[in-house]
């Protein structure tokens, strides 16, 4: 065991400017005795010791110095100085008194105070040879060193005409700004290279480095290869498709593109159809006239060099779909006919027949229709497909005409009407060849034709003669004729309704008279109506009450009978007087 007071301190402490320096004072006192005091000092520029702290068992005394606000003591009595600057003291001393064991002291040098360099920033400016980038590191102490790297490997000045001029500037703050430029020739292969700089410095005796973000060089070079392709490339092109021709070059910047189409032996300029400055030519709704050879031409404005590339556009199509009928003469009911479908395409075709409802009838380009009838639909569809080109197909409809005389299929008979009513008479027929429709009466006629169906609407006013005789619809063509009679009947429902109204009116009138007679009889029985043989009273006299009925009765009947007669006669008299 040591027999005397010992004090140990680190000989040197490094700290980043602006950071906090922590200086420890470790001591040993024999027999585990306690210290009497601990004093902290710093050595000023005049080499004088200036006390900072005086520590005893009774407390801590902090001296009034310029660093008072930035000083602090730890529980282990270590001294901390915050916000370190270049002007701070370089030497700090710790003095320990231990009574009978005497006094001891030691010191630490706050030297080589380091300021970490800021992250390097890369820039560039035109130069010959080209400046790839410039690396700048600011506010460091001491001045750091800068190295350059390409794709992770360090570059060295003098190799492959590489130079790295370095500039070191001491700022007024005492910190250093270091700048380095990387100058080197570049080739086409360098377009994908990545460059970065590293700033090297030492902290607490250990070498450290900060790397800048990598950058790529924008290398200009003429095009060497040109590629012209048809999009979409995974499918065969058919008529109606939208096609895109894409021209790509490997130059930087991209060259100027032009497009041409070969017509016979002449190249036609179609650049006006292309998207400006893009190398893209879009063809919409292509057809067989879009077939041919297309050319893309690139022009590098730097050296005016040109490259050309051709591509063939093949548009698959179907044309000339037609149906042949054997025999070609007009058919009659019960005949048979052979339908043959044909078309042209640069690829193999497949045929299919369907009826008017879309139901598949037969595979192949021929369809035999037996026992044709006039009434049934004789419309068929030939579907032409190209199996090797998905989606390429066309259809052709054909109607087999069967001749026959007209047949009336609908007529508005019987028709219920009223006198002088304006009505529409309808007559519908089916026939081939197209028939004519005639009416037996005059009116305004409108005719409608749908394939083999013909309809006529006749607008007329109902007269007595029309009600009596009706109307006749006559339909005819060169194969015959047909006619139907339209019967007009009086609308009995309307007549019955009129008669019913009259009967109801009569019944209501009878009921009103009966009710009135009952009221008069009731008033008489109650004495509200005075009766007598003496004569009459004038209802116009002022003294007569207005709510009494005044009557005059002259009769040889009994009083009871006379009362009844007076009531009836009085009613008539009063009406006469009024």
């Amino acid at each position: 065991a040591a027999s005397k007071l010992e004090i140990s301190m680190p000989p040197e402490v490094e700290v980043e400017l602006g950071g906090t320096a922590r200086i420890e004072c470790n001591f040993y006192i024999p027999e585990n005795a306690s210290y009497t005091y601990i004093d902290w000092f710093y050595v000023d520029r005049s080499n004088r010791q200036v006390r900072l702290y005086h520590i005893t068992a009774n407390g801590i005394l902090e001296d009034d110095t310029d660093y008072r606000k930035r000083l602090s003591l730890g529980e282990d009595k270590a001294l901390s100085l915050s916000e370190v600057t270049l002007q701070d003291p370089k030497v700090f001393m710790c003095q320990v008194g231990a009574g009978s064991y005497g006094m001891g002291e030691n010191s630490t040098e706050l030297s080589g105070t380091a300021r970490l360099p800021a992250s390097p920033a890369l820039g560039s400016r035109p130069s010959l040879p080209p400046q790839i980038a410039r690396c700048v590191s600011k506010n460091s102490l001491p001045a750091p060193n800068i190295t350059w790297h390409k794709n992770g490997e360090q570059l060295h000045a003098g190799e492959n005409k590489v130079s790295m001029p370095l500039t070191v500037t001491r700022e007024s703050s005492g910190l250093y700004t270091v700048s380095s430029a990387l100058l080197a020739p570049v080739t086409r292969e360098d377009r994908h290279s990545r460059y970065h700089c590293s700033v090297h410095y030492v902290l607490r005796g250990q070498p450290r480095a900060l790397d800048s973000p990598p950058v790529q060089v924008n290398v200009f070079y003429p095009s060497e290869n040109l590629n012209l392709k048809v999009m979409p490339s995974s499918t065969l092109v058919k008529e109606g498709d939208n096609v895109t021709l894409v021209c790509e070059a490997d130059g930087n910047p991209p060259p100027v593109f032009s497009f041409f189409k070969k017509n016979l032996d002449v190249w036609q300029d179609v650049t006006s159809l292309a998207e400006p400055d893009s190398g893209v030519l879009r063809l919409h709704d292509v057809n067989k006239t879009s077939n041919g050879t297309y050319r893309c031409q690139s022009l590098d404005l730097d050296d005016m060099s040109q490259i050309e590339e051709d591509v063939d556009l093949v548009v698959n199509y179907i044309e000339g779909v037609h149906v042949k009928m054997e025999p070609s003469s007009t058919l009659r009911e019960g005949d048979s006919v052979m339908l043959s479908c044909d078309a042209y395409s640069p690829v193999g075709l497949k045929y299919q027949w369907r009826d008017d409802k879309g139901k598949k009838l037969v595979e192949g380009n021929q369809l035999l229709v037996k026992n044709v009838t006039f009434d049934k639909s004789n419309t068929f569809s030939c579907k032409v497909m190209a199996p090797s080109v998905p989606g390429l197909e066309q259809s052709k409809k054909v109607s087999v005409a069967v001749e026959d005389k007209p047949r009336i299929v609908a007529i508005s008979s019987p028709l219920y009407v009223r006198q002088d009513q304006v009505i529409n008479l309808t007559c519908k027929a089916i026939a081939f060849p197209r028939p004519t429709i005639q009416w037996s009466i005059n009116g305004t006629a409108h005719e409608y034709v749908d394939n083999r169906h013909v309809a006529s609407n006749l607008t007329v006013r109902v007269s007595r003669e029309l009600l009596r005789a009706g109307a006749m619809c006559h339909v005819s063509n060169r194969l015959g004729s047909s006619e139907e009679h339209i019967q007009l009947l009086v609308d009995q429902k309307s007549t019955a309704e009129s008669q019913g109204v009259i009967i109801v009116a009569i019944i209501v009138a009878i009921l009103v008279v009966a009710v009135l007679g009952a009221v008069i009889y009731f008033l008489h029985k109650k004495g509200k109506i005075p009766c007598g043989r003496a004569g009459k009273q004038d209802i116009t006299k002022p003294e007569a009450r207005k709510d009494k009925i005044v009557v005059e009765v002259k009769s040889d009947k009994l009083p009871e009978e006379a009362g009844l007669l007076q009531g009836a006669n009085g009613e008539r008299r009063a009406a006469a007087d009024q």
Side-chain angles (χ1 to χ4, degrees):
S3 58
K4 63 177 181 178
L5 174 62
E6 293 183 356
I7 299 176
S8 62
M9 296 178 66
E12 184 180 346
V13 171
E14 290 186 39
V15 66
E16 179 185 356
L17 291 178
T20 299
R22 189 175 189 274
I23 304 174
E24 297 179 354
C25 179
N26 299 311
F27 53 87
Y28 170 75
I29 303 176
E31 298 181 0
N32 292 326
S34 298
Y35 64 87
T36 303
Y37 68 89
I38 300 175
D39 287 341
W40 278 100
F41 301 88
Y42 75 88
V43 179
D44 64 10
R45 295 184 180 183
S46 300
N47 205 25
R48 291 183 304 134
Q49 294 183 4
V50 180
R51 193 175 72 176
L52 299 171
Y53 283 104
H54 178 67
I55 307 167
T56 65
N58 295 326
I60 300 174
L61 174 64
E62 183 177 4
D63 292 271
D64 188 10
T65 64
D66 293 338
Y67 309 106
R68 185 171 184 174
K69 295 182 180 180
R70 294 192 285 136
L71 290 174
S72 63
L73 284 176
E75 292 183 0
D76 58 353
K77 306 303 184 287
L79 179 67
S80 294
L81 177 63
S82 63
E83 300 178 8
V84 175
T85 68
L86 285 174
Q87 288 74 33
D88 287 339
K90 301 302 184 210
V91 178
F92 290 84
M93 297 178 59
C94 176
Q95 187 180 90
V96 179
S100 61
Y101 291 101
M103 181 271 294
E105 63 181 17
N106 206 339
S107 63
T108 293
E109 183 179 357
L110 195 62
S111 62
T113 302
R115 172 65 183 257
L116 300 183
S119 297
L122 292 183
S124 180
R125 61 182 177 84
S127 63
L128 290 174
Q131 175 178 291
I132 295 175
R134 175 175 292 274
C135 181
V136 178
S137 176
K138 296 182 178 181
N139 300 326
S140 59
L141 183 72
N145 186 33
I146 295 179
T147 59
W148 285 96
H149 304 263
K150 173 183 176 181
N151 298 328
E153 295 184 3
Q154 185 175 344
L155 298 175
H156 300 280
E159 294 182 358
N160 299 321
K161 301 180 180 180
V162 174
S163 63
M164 309 172 196
L166 184 69
T167 302
V168 179
T169 304
R170 181 181 174 88
E171 307 293 347
S172 59
S173 62
L175 303 179
Y176 291 92
T177 295
V178 181
S179 174
S180 175
L182 175 61
L183 304 177
V186 292
T187 63
R188 176 191 298 267
E189 288 70 25
D190 292 322
R191 64 188 183 277
H192 301 305
S193 297
R194 301 172 73 87
Y195 299 85
H196 78 274
C197 69
S198 295
V199 177
H200 302 270
Y201 61 98
V202 177
L203 181 62
R204 298 183 179 91
Q206 299 296 321
R208 304 291 180 88
L210 285 174
D211 292 336
S212 71
V215 296
Q216 284 185 273
V217 182
N218 190 12
V219 182
F220 297 106
Y221 48 87
S223 301
E224 292 182 350
N225 299 288
L226 196 64
N227 182 30
L228 179 60
K229 55 186 177 182
V230 178
M231 301 293 291
S233 58
S234 58
T235 58
L236 295 174
V237 179
K238 64 181 181 297
E239 54 185 352
D241 285 348
N242 295 327
V243 177
T244 302
L245 301 182
V246 180
C247 191
E248 298 174 337
D250 59 356
N252 186 39
V256 177
F257 295 103
S258 300
F259 287 93
F260 303 89
K261 183 179 185 294
K262 191 175 184 179
N263 288 328
L264 299 177
D265 293 331
V266 178
W267 288 99
Q268 178 186 358
D269 191 343
V270 292
T271 307
S272 60
L273 304 178
E275 296 181 2
D277 305 323
S278 66
V280 176
L281 174 63
R282 301 187 188 277
L283 304 176
H284 299 280
D285 196 18
V286 296
N287 51 43
K288 70 173 185 177
T289 62
S290 305
N291 274 319
T293 302
Y294 290 80
R295 170 173 292 177
C296 173
Q297 185 180 87
S298 69
L299 173 63
D300 280 297
L301 299 179
D302 187 29
D303 59 359
M304 302 306 290
S305 60
Q306 290 185 350
I307 306 177
E308 296 176 347
E309 181 74 9
D310 296 345
V311 68
D312 290 327
L313 175 63
V314 178
V315 180
N316 297 282
Y317 59 92
I318 297 175
E319 67 175 0
V321 181
H322 63 279
V323 175
K324 183 180 179 182
M325 186 169 60
E326 291 289 342
S328 59
S329 58
T330 306
L331 302 176
R332 302 299 296 272
E333 281 197 320
D335 290 348
S336 297
V337 63
M338 175 68 75
L339 303 178
S340 300
C341 186
D342 198 10
Y344 172 76
S345 175
V347 294
L349 298 177
K350 180 181 178 181
Y351 298 86
Q352 191 180 90
W353 284 96
R354 295 177 179 267
D355 62 13
D356 60 337
K357 296 181 180 179
K359 179 182 177 182
K360 186 173 72 172
L361 300 175
V362 67
E363 297 279 354
N365 71 322
Q366 288 189 327
L367 174 66
L368 177 61
V369 183
K370 297 181 179 180
N371 193 26
V372 296
T373 61
F374 182 77
D375 295 329
K376 281 184 60 178
S377 172
N378 294 305
T379 300
F380 305 94
S381 176
C382 172
K383 186 176 182 180
V384 186
M385 301 164 288
S388 62
V389 184
L392 180 58
E393 59 183 44
Q394 282 194 18
S395 295
K396 180 76 173 181
K397 281 188 176 182
V398 61
S399 295
V400 178
V402 179
E403 288 190 339
D404 201 355
K405 68 177 184 178
R407 301 178 189 177
I408 296 177
V409 295
I411 196 166
S412 54
S413 179
L415 188 63
Y416 293 92
V417 298
R418 297 190 304 273
Q419 181 76 25
D420 293 329
Q421 180 185 0
V422 177
I423 60 173
N424 287 324
L425 304 179
T426 302
C427 182
K428 296 182 180 179
I430 182 172
F432 185 78
R434 175 181 170 180
T436 58
I437 299 179
Q438 295 177 326
W439 293 91
S440 61
I441 58 175
N442 294 327
T444 303
H446 298 279
E447 198 167 285
Y448 307 93
V449 179
D450 181 17
N451 200 2
R452 298 175 302 159
H453 293 80
V454 181
S456 178
N457 288 339
L458 182 69
T459 303
V460 295
R461 184 179 295 276
V462 178
S463 62
R464 293 181 180 274
E465 179 61 24
L466 184 57
L467 279 172
R468 184 188 64 79
M472 188 71 70
C473 172
H474 182 83
V475 186
S476 63
N477 64 8
R478 60 180 175 81
L479 298 178
S481 63
S482 179
E483 62 182 12
E484 289 284 349
H485 179 258
I486 297 179
Q487 182 181 8
L488 301 182
L489 301 176
V490 177
D491 190 348
Q492 298 294 335
K493 182 178 178 181
S494 299
T495 304
E497 288 178 354
S498 300
Q499 294 175 350
V501 170
I502 297 173
I503 294 172
V504 170
I506 294 173
I507 293 174
V508 170
I510 293 173
L511 290 174
V512 170
V513 172
V515 171
L516 183 60
V519 171
I520 295 173
Y521 177 74
F522 176 76
L523 295 175
H524 170 70
K525 295 295 289 183
K526 293 292 185 178
K528 298 294 182 178
I529 303 176
C531 297
R533 299 174 182 269
K536 63 180 181 179
Q537 295 178 1
D538 190 353
I539 63 175
T540 62
K541 290 181 179 181
E543 59 271 3
R545 291 180 59 183
K546 293 181 179 180
D547 57 346
K548 292 184 178 181
I549 302 175
V550 181
V551 298
E552 179 184 7
V553 178
K554 293 181 179 181
S555 175
D556 295 332
K557 299 292 184 180
L558 293 175
E560 293 82 1
E561 296 174 330
L564 292 175
L565 292 175
Q566 287 170 353
N569 293 334
E571 183 180 355
R572 289 193 299 271
R573 178 65 176 270
D577 291 342
Q578 291 173 355

